[in-house]
Amino acid sequence: MGILLALIPAVAWGSLVFVSVKLGGNAYSQTVGITVGSLLFAIGVFFIKSPELTLFVWGIGFISGVFWAVGQVNQLASVKFIGVSKTVPISTGMQLIGTTLFGVLVFKEWKTTETILLGSGAVLALIIGVVLTSFTQKSEGDEDSQLKKGLLTLLLSSCGYIAYVVILRWFNIDGWEAILPQAIGMFIGAVVITFRHKPFNKYTVRNILTGLMWASGNLGLLLALPRIGVATSFSLSQTGIVISTLGGLFFLGEKKSKKQILLVIAGCVLIIIGGVLLGFTKD
């Protein structure tokens, strides 16, 4: 059951950046729109499930949502530097490596020699995949400079995303309890971060759809965390990157040489393989 729950965000999140870019707007209006959709979803779920929320749960859930806002704003901002087809796989690889390290070193989720070897091979595949997807030809003007800006932005984004997942696991907050406080933290965090950029416009309204998509995936992940652990659940949740990556290459018309396209696709395959292998490390 935990594996199936972790695959819900694989589909929902795998298409999120691609859909958000198609709907239009900048990183700020897109992020706020996503949080509005997520908040509406969370309110609906809260009235259906009605979990008892303590002040502690409210606080941790809220902080988790703020970390997510940091991650999402910077992920969408990196698209203008390196495009969807690079942003998604590199971001995914960074997040997988970070959450896996936490799962293994902090939560002790790899307990046998077999899982350690399998997991180490998976992390190696992830690293190679990230390197391949970030390949840039030297002849392409200022693309190296753009890549550096994109990678720095994604590093900050990944720190936010990793913290948003790990903090709930650290304090053993149940997914049903976390969803509303987290959504409120996401919305307030996004508004504070983006306020000076005037994010409220028609694109904010459009991106409520992506917020509903994100929220459905988030619920699947939150419910999977206590069942199969951070390393496995988050890894499986990220295997839908092929949707956004191929969408960026073939539907958004991002310009790439044949060599770059092949390397990006190869990198995506390795990241997916790494994610799946991490899934098998669960006892």
Side-chain angles (χ1 to χ4, degrees):
M1 183 64 178
I3 300 294
L4 292 176
L5 288 170
L7 289 176
I8 295 174
V11 176
W13 294 353
S15 54
L16 189 142
V17 176
F18 167 66
V19 172
S20 186
V21 171
K22 287 292 288 183
L23 291 174
N26 56 29
Y28 311 111
S29 60
Q30 289 167 341
T31 300
V32 173
I34 291 172
T35 61
V36 172
S38 299
L39 183 57
L40 293 174
F41 183 94
I43 292 172
V45 169
F46 178 79
F47 282 110
I48 294 173
K49 189 67 177 178
S50 299
E52 293 185 12
L53 301 179
T54 65
L55 185 61
F56 180 76
V57 171
W58 276 104
I60 297 301
F62 182 89
I63 293 171
S64 171
V66 172
F67 276 125
W68 177 91
V70 172
Q72 187 66 31
V73 169
N74 284 284
Q75 186 190 62
L76 291 172
S78 69
V79 171
K80 70 179 180 181
F81 296 121
I82 57 178
V84 172
S85 59
K86 282 183 180 290
T87 289
V88 176
I90 295 174
S91 176
T92 298
M94 287 182 175
Q95 292 172 56
L96 285 171
I97 292 170
T99 53
T100 298
L101 289 176
F102 267 98
V104 174
L105 300 178
V106 178
F107 303 126
K108 310 298 182 183
E109 293 177 357
W110 293 354
K111 299 177 181 178
T112 67
T113 301
E114 181 182 0
T115 56
I116 291 173
L117 291 174
L118 187 61
S120 299
V123 171
L124 180 61
L126 292 172
I127 293 172
I128 296 173
V130 170
V131 172
L132 289 178
T133 55
S134 62
F135 172 81
T136 303
Q137 292 183 322
K138 295 295 183 182
S139 60
E140 296 186 354
D142 66 343
E143 191 166 342
D144 280 346
S145 174
Q146 294 292 92
L147 178 62
K148 290 177 181 177
K149 292 178 181 178
L151 289 176
L152 287 174
T153 305
L154 282 178
L155 182 60
L156 178 58
S157 167
S158 296
C159 288
Y161 278 138
I162 292 167
Y164 125 79
V165 173
V166 169
I167 192 173
L168 296 179
R169 177 71 173 85
W170 183 280
F171 291 102
N172 292 314
I173 306 296
D174 180 72
W176 293 112
E177 296 175 337
I179 188 169
L180 182 58
Q182 189 181 66
I184 294 172
M186 289 165 54
F187 176 71
I188 294 177
V191 170
V192 170
I193 293 171
T194 66
F195 186 74
R196 65 189 181 92
H197 298 283
K198 299 179 180 179
F200 294 97
N201 50 50
K202 66 179 181 180
Y203 299 110
T204 306
V205 177
R206 290 184 183 181
N207 276 278
I208 290 176
L209 172 62
T210 53
L212 296 174
M213 290 171 53
W214 183 88
S216 62
N218 183 54
L219 181 59
L221 175 62
L222 294 180
L223 294 177
L225 285 174
R227 289 173 171 81
I228 58 176
V230 171
T232 303
S233 56
F234 194 80
S235 300
L236 291 175
S237 74
Q238 298 298 304
T239 55
I241 62 166
V242 68
I243 301 172
S244 282
T245 304
L246 297 182
L249 285 173
F250 301 113
F251 295 103
L252 297 180
E254 294 179 357
K255 295 181 179 179
K256 296 284 185 295
S257 68
K258 290 182 179 179
K259 184 176 182 180
Q260 283 179 298
I261 291 174
L262 290 175
L263 289 175
V264 168
I265 293 175
C268 287
V269 170
L270 282 173
I271 291 173
I272 291 172
I273 290 173
V276 172
L277 288 177
L278 285 174
F280 288 113
T281 62
K282 182 64 180 177
D283 294 336

